[in-house]
């Protein structure tokens, strides 16, 4: 809710679909969203088929997978990312399923699989804009390793600051027109150098001070969003201010908020 998206409710059929896929990956020692019908533990070639196979009657919205250790590390790996962050916070979902499995031989392999669904089409966030990190969030990881996410959102950068996502829902998730972005340490005037990842339909104003990249991994579903990667690692134990001005479907969507990084020793 703090992110601006609605709450999700656990669903038994989505739980079964997510668990089946976590088990398929671990027991076959493979990773990815697909399944091979010739392998054991197969329940469906994609997340929608797997949910339907478990009797789910709603609309299947998406699936995110991490191979981080189950629990806090797994959830943080979703939230500390680009593509998986949006997938986890999908605003049109109101149901969720969770599956976890792990194995130690022939080598450690963890799988946390989350499947998202909706009871009705056209669900909207609880606010016109939503973003991550949330306002006044604390303990945000100051650094991000792009190579740790698949696909890699910044193959040419070894380390960046924490990813920042900003999205709007006006005009049924119409493309954003970004007018200004700025990230700075609180009470300081210097702006951090930024890379802005966008879908090709997102418009960028001339006054935007960022390296703008059209990201082929972002689909039409992402046209109401942008993703910011500070090109420098953030400092430990500091508060940062994010300011974003944009329009969407003829309406202003803007937000200024702060978050604080965790103390790293």
């Amino acid at each position: 809710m703090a992110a601006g998206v609605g709450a999700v409710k656990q669903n038994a059929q989505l739980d079964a679909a997510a668990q089946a896929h976590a088990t398929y990956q671990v027991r076959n020692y493979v990773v990815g969203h697909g399944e091979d019908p010739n392998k054991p533990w197969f329940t469906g070639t994609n997340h929608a088929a797997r949910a339907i196979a478990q009797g789910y009657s709603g609309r299947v919205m998406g699936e995110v997978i991490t191979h981080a250790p189950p629990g806090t590390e797994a959830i943080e790996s979703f939230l500390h990312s680009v593509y998986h962050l949006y997938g986890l916070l999908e605003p049109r979902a109101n149901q969720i399923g969770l599956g976890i499995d792990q194995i130690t031989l022939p080598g450690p392999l963890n799988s946390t699989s989350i499947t998202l669904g909706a009871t009705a089409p056209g669900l909207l966030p609880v606010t016109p804009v939503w973003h991550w990190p949330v306002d006044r969030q604390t303990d945000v990881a100051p650094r991000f390793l792009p190579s740790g996410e698949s696909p890699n959102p910044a193959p040419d950068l070894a380390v960046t600051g924490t990813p920042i996502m900003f999205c709007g829902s006006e005009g049924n998730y119409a493309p954003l027109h970004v007018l200004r972005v700025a990230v700075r340490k609180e009470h300081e005037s210097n702006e951090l150098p930024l890379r802005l990842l966008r879908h090709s339909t997102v418009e960028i104003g001339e006054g935007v001070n960022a390296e703008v990249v059209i990201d082929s991994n972002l689909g039409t579903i992402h046209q109401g969003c942008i993703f910011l990667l500070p090109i420098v690692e953030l400092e430990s134990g500091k508060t940062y201010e994010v300011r974003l001005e944009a329009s969407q479907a003829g309406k202003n969507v803007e937000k200024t908020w702060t978050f604080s990084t965790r103390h790293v020793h």
Side-chain angles (χ1 to χ4, degrees):
M1 297 290 285
V5 297
V8 289
K9 183 177 180 180
Q10 199 159 8
N11 174 273
Q13 288 78 35
L14 293 180
D15 276 343
Q19 184 59 59
H21 189 51
T23 297
Y24 170 90
Q25 292 177 89
V26 168
R27 303 304 161 183
N28 287 299
Y29 211 73
V30 296
V31 297
H33 293 277
E35 290 190 9
D36 183 344
N38 296 313
K39 290 185 180 293
W41 307 96
F42 170 84
T43 57
T45 56
N46 57 41
H47 59 280
R50 292 188 287 271
I52 293 170
Q54 300 296 338
Y56 186 66
S57 59
R59 184 181 180 192
V60 187
M61 301 303 298
E63 174 186 76
V64 289
I65 301 166
T66 181
H67 303 293
T72 302
E73 286 188 54
I75 298 303
E76 181 159 300
S77 74
F78 289 133
L79 295 174
H80 193 56
S81 67
V82 175
Y83 316 116
H84 294 75
L85 169 61
Y86 182 92
L88 186 66
L89 298 181
E90 166 59 67
R92 287 159 281 204
N94 64 353
Q95 294 185 320
I96 191 170
L98 171 67
I100 298 171
D101 207 340
Q102 54 190 154
I103 198 169
T104 56
L105 295 174
L109 178 62
N110 305 298
S111 179
T112 297
S113 179
I114 292 178
T115 306
L116 294 152
T119 55
L123 295 172
L124 294 174
V126 295
T127 59
V129 301
W130 73 100
H131 57 82
W132 193 271
V134 303
D135 191 20
R136 295 186 292 276
Q137 184 170 335
T138 60
D139 200 39
V140 174
R143 70 197 304 252
F144 172 59
L145 304 178
S147 62
E149 183 171 14
S150 179
N152 185 334
D156 60 317
L157 299 177
V159 180
T160 72
T162 192
I164 299 168
M165 181 182 74
F166 176 90
C167 302
S169 61
E170 297 289 359
N172 192 25
Y173 308 93
L176 281 180
H177 181 189
V178 182
L179 304 173
R180 184 183 179 198
V181 295
V183 180
R184 58 168 64 92
K185 273 198 297 185
E186 195 173 41
H187 308 308
E188 293 192 6
S189 59
N190 292 336
E191 297 179 6
L192 300 183
L194 298 171
R195 177 172 295 181
L196 188 157
L197 306 179
R198 68 176 177 103
H199 181 258
S200 59
T201 57
V202 174
E203 298 179 1
I204 305 297
E206 293 182 359
V208 171
N209 184 21
E211 175 194 353
V212 179
V213 174
I214 296 177
D215 188 340
S216 61
N217 295 312
L218 297 175
T220 305
I221 195 172
H222 302 107
Q223 68 182 4
C225 300
I226 59 168
F227 300 85
L228 302 175
L229 290 176
I231 294 177
V232 295
E233 181 179 340
L234 303 185
E235 294 183 30
S236 168
K238 300 293 183 180
T239 298
Y240 288 85
E241 178 189 85
V242 183
R243 181 178 179 184
L244 201 143
E245 299 174 8
S247 65
Q248 188 179 33
K251 296 183 179 180
N252 290 331
V253 286
E254 57 185 32
K255 183 79 174 183
T256 299
W257 76 96
T258 64
F259 65 88
S260 300
T261 55
R262 71 175 50 135
H263 289 273
V264 179
H265 301 287

